[in-house]
Amino acid sequence: MSVQPEITQRDLRNRSREIMDAVRGGQSFTVTRDGRPIGELVPLRRRRRFVSRLEFGAMSRTAPEVDLDTFRADQDAATDTDQDDPYAR
């Protein structure tokens, strides 16, 4: 496990663009004030939007089997089956 580089609050203020570019690139920092750690700058995890066919197939093979009768019963229990007539007074 690597140690995060420390940056002072002043460095963060004065070099914010450079530091934020490094964070965007995956670098993490510990921010200090008066020599004491006060926070961390860490990159956000990027959510994937695409799953390849191979990954989908692999996940599908290990997914639990779905009982269709139970699934339909769950859907029926969760939905309102009474259809109100919007024109009824």
Side-chain angles (χ1 to χ4, degrees):
M1 185 166 120
S2 64
V3 176
Q4 296 176 167
E6 290 186 354
I7 56 172
T8 64
Q9 182 180 3
R10 178 176 288 159
D11 282 340
L12 179 58
R13 183 183 65 230
N14 294 336
R15 298 177 30 226
S16 65
R17 180 180 178 93
E18 174 188 343
I19 292 167
M20 290 300 152
D21 286 344
V23 170
R24 176 187 250 174
Q27 179 67 54
S28 298
F29 295 93
T30 300
V31 181
T32 63
R33 181 190 295 160
D34 298 326
R36 290 188 299 265
I38 60 169
E40 293 181 348
L41 282 174
V42 295
L44 295 175
R45 285 191 271 165
R46 293 186 182 157
R47 293 175 47 185
R48 289 182 5 180
R49 294 179 180 253
F50 176 78
V51 177
S52 72
R53 227 180 242 186
L54 291 173
E55 285 181 281
F56 181 79
M59 288 186 288
S60 298
R61 283 190 289 279
T62 60
E65 191 171 320
V66 176
D67 178 41
L68 292 180
D69 292 330
T70 304
F71 179 72
R72 285 188 187 114
D74 287 345
Q75 281 187 318
D76 289 342
T79 58
D80 182 15
T81 56
D82 295 331
Q83 294 182 357
D84 294 330
D85 183 359
Y87 300 105
R89 294 188 182 202

